[in-house]
Amino acid sequence: MDTANRGYQCQRLISQFWGQYSPFFSVPSEIPDDILLPDCEITFAQLLSRHGARDPTASKTKVYDGTIQKLKANVKHFPGKYSFLDSFAYTLGADQLTTFGEQEMVNSGIAFYDRYEKLAKQSIPFIRSSGEERVVKSAQNLSQGFHLAKTASDKQADANYPYPILVIPEGAGINNTLNHDLCTAFENREPYSSMGSKAQQTFLGTFLPPITTRLNTDLAGANLTATDTINVMDLCPFITVASPVGAVSPFCGLFTEDEWHHYDYYQTLGKYYGYGPGNPLGPTQGVGFVNELVARMTRKPVNDQTTVNHTLDDSGETFPLGDALYVDVSHDNDITAIFSALGLYNSTAPLSNTSIETAQQTKGYSAAWTVPFAAKAYFEKTKCRGSMEEFVRIIVNGRTLPLETCGGDALGRCTLTKFVQSLSFAAQGGKWNLCFKT
C-alpha cells in the first residue's frame, strides 16, 4: 500500500528500517508540516527528490544471485519460515526502476501538485534530472503525477504536458550538481573514499555474528558468511519493491524487528560517514546545488566554482530564476551531501560505530528518514502580511526541520536573509580546495 501523502505503510515496524532501501514514508514531525498562518502565502517551492524504488545495481544483483545459488547448492532442506526458498528463483534485474518505483514517483508528483496547488494552477515546474536512466524515468513519472493532479483539479486539458525535462549528463569530468564525480580526493583517496564502508564494517561486528550463526544452524550446510547474511537482508526490501504492489517479501520475516533496527543503523552509518557530516569532504559534494538553491530563492545569478555547470546555469533558458516551482531528481548519496552542505543535521552528534542510536537520538538523522526510495525535500518560501522579509521552511519526507542553524521559529521558519547567511560554508565553496591536492 503506497499513497501520495503517507507513502508506504505496510509492516511499518520493519519497512521503515530498511535504510535507503525503504520505500518513501511520511516521517513523524514535531512541527506539523501543514501549518500556514492565515496571513501568509507560499510564493516558491523547490522539490529535491530521489528516484523511485529500483532493482539492485548491476554489481549487487550478481552478488545477490550468487548468494541464492550458494544456498540452493548447499542446503538440502528449507524448514519452516525458510520453505519459500524451495521454489524461489532470483529474477531481479539491474539498476532500473520497478513498477512500484514508477508509481512512487507518480504519487510524488500528485503530492507536489496538491501541496502547492495555488502556485501549480498558475505555472508548471521547471524540472531537471541527473542523467542516469532510472533518474530520468523518475522525473517523467513525477511530471505525469503532477499532470494528472492538475487536469483533475482544473477539469480541462493541460496544454503544457509533457513538461520539458532538462537532463544533465553523468560521467567523468562533467559538472553536475545532481551527481558527484568531480572531487578526486573524495572519490579515490583515503581516508575519504572508504570512511563509510569502514564505519559499517566496525558496526557489523556488534550485531551480525549471532544472525549468521542462527541462519547456519537453521539451514544445515549453508555455510553463510557475514557478507552473505547482509545480502539476504538486502533481498527483503529489493524483493518487496519488485512487487508491483509492494507485497512484503518472505525474506523480511527471517529477521526480528530489533535486527532490522540494527540493519537500518548500519545503512545510516554508510551515508553519514560516506557522504554526510561524518566525512570531511562529504558536505562539499553538495555545495553546488546549495548555491543553485540560493540563486533561485534570491533570484540572483549562481555564484559557484565547484560542481555547477555554468554553460547551463548562466542561461535563463536552462536555469530560469523567476519561476515559482522547481523539481530536481537525483540520487541518495548526492542528496545526503546536499543536506549536509545545508547544515540540516548539524545538531546530530557524530554517530557511534559501536552502538545503535535511534532516529530520535540522532535528532532525526537516519538513512530511512532522509533518503529512502522516492525521498522528497520541499524548500518553501512564504510571504506574510506585516513582514518585509520572506520566510524559508524545509520539509524532508513530511518532517518539518527546526532549522537551528538560522534561528528557526516555532514553525520551523527562518527569514530568507538569515537562511542565506547560514550557508556560508557553501558560499565559500566548502572544502573544494582539498579535492585536487596530491
Side-chain angles (χ1 to χ4, degrees):
M1 180 179 64
D2 188 74
T3 65
N5 291 317
R6 297 183 65 215
Y8 190 71
Q9 296 295 314
C10 293
Q11 295 193 27
R12 289 175 293 172
L13 294 179
I14 62 168
S15 69
Q16 296 181 3
F17 295 90
W18 294 339
Q20 68 273 16
Y21 303 141
S22 289
F24 161 78
F25 61 94
S26 186
V27 173
S29 181
E30 294 178 2
I31 305 170
D33 76 336
D34 56 352
I35 286 183
L36 187 64
L37 297 177
D39 292 333
C40 300
E41 64 174 349
I42 297 172
T43 59
F44 168 100
Q46 158 83 61
L47 165 58
L48 175 61
S49 174
R50 185 190 179 193
H51 59 74
R54 59 162 171 81
D55 285 326
T57 60
S59 59
K60 282 290 186 73
T61 207
K62 291 178 182 177
V63 169
Y64 297 155
D65 189 25
T67 297
I68 293 300
Q69 295 304 320
K70 177 178 178 178
L71 276 171
K72 293 279 194 176
N74 291 353
V75 179
K76 300 292 186 266
H77 174 59
F78 294 103
K81 62 184 178 182
Y82 303 96
S83 61
F84 73 93
L85 286 165
D86 274 321
S87 57
F88 179 79
Y90 187 86
T91 59
L92 297 183
D95 289 312
Q96 301 306 306
L97 278 189
T98 64
T99 300
F100 177 87
E102 292 177 359
Q103 187 60 50
E104 279 190 299
M105 298 310 296
V106 171
N107 288 347
S108 184
I110 293 170
F112 187 57
Y113 178 89
D114 288 347
R115 183 176 181 88
Y116 303 109
E117 184 172 7
K118 190 172 181 180
L119 293 177
K121 281 184 173 294
Q122 303 164 16
S123 60
I124 61 170
F126 180 78
I127 306 173
R128 298 188 308 177
S129 166
S130 198
E132 185 89 17
E133 184 178 345
R134 65 177 176 269
V135 185
V136 177
K137 181 68 173 176
S138 291
Q140 293 169 342
N141 292 138
L142 190 151
S143 71
Q144 179 189 1
F146 186 95
H147 162 71
L148 291 172
K150 185 175 178 64
T151 52
S153 176
D154 294 347
K155 295 182 172 56
Q156 62 184 29
D158 181 2
N160 294 308
Y161 187 78
Y163 310 136
I165 298 173
L166 177 65
V167 178
I168 307 176
E170 297 182 11
I174 296 177
N175 283 45
N176 183 346
T177 58
L178 302 176
N179 183 65
H180 69 91
D181 194 46
L182 289 179
C183 179
T184 54
F186 176 76
E187 302 292 340
N188 304 317
R189 290 193 206 127
E190 297 291 344
Y192 315 111
S193 60
S194 64
M195 289 184 71
S197 59
K198 285 181 176 178
Q200 286 184 302
Q201 286 304 311
T202 299
F203 184 67
L204 277 184
T206 71
F207 82 98
L208 201 64
I211 303 176
T212 304
T213 298
R214 183 180 76 237
L215 293 179
N216 283 326
T217 299
D218 291 350
L219 300 171
N223 198 28
L224 295 176
T225 65
T227 299
D228 291 329
T229 300
I230 284 293
N231 292 341
V232 174
M233 296 189 84
D234 286 350
L235 285 174
C236 159
F238 278 117
I239 299 294
T240 297
V241 300
S243 161
V245 295
V248 177
S249 165
F251 280 100
C252 305
L254 302 183
F255 308 95
T256 68
E257 288 178 17
D258 182 67
E259 288 166 351
W260 284 119
H261 291 191
H262 281 76
Y263 173 88
D264 184 59
Y265 190 69
Y266 161 80
Q267 300 292 7
T268 296
L269 287 172
K271 298 306 171 193
Y272 184 86
Y273 287 104
Y275 298 87
N279 188 309
L281 284 180
T284 296
Q285 310 315 304
V287 160
F289 182 86
V290 173
N291 288 329
E292 289 181 326
L293 177 65
V294 169
R296 288 171 169 174
M297 284 187 157
T298 60
R299 298 191 174 191
K300 295 178 181 178
V302 180
N303 181 12
D304 180 83
Q305 301 302 321
T306 65
T307 59
V308 160
N309 185 323
H310 280 283
T311 302
L312 298 176
D313 284 17
D314 291 350
S315 166
E317 290 293 314
T318 48
F319 195 80
L321 291 175
D323 289 17
L325 295 173
Y326 295 90
V327 172
D328 287 288
V329 187
S330 181
H331 302 272
D332 53 345
N333 293 335
D334 303 283
I335 294 173
T336 297
I338 289 166
F339 289 168
S340 303
L342 286 163
L344 300 186
Y345 300 94
N346 281 5
S347 61
T348 299
L351 300 187
S352 169
N353 62 5
T354 57
S355 60
I356 188 172
E357 298 176 57
T358 66
Q360 289 75 18
Q361 290 171 322
T362 62
K363 298 193 174 179
Y365 190 86
S366 85
W369 278 31
T370 56
V371 288
F373 286 133
K376 52 188 176 186
Y378 297 145
F379 303 86
E380 300 177 349
K381 278 200 311 181
T382 58
K383 184 181 293 183
C384 300
R385 189 180 305 163
S387 174
M388 297 293 290
E389 277 269 33
E390 291 180 294
F391 292 93
V392 174
R393 188 167 63 161
I394 300 175
I395 299 100
V396 176
N397 300 317
R399 179 174 180 258
T400 303
L401 301 188
L403 295 189
E404 294 162 327
T405 56
C406 53
D409 65 13
L411 300 180
R413 306 175 308 170
C414 290
T415 64
L416 178 59
T417 298
K418 288 186 176 180
F419 177 69
V420 172
Q421 288 173 346
S422 75
L423 301 176
S424 59
F425 175 82
Q428 295 164 10
K431 297 180 180 179
W432 195 250
N433 61 306
L434 299 181
C435 284
F436 310 101
K437 285 190 174 181
T438 57

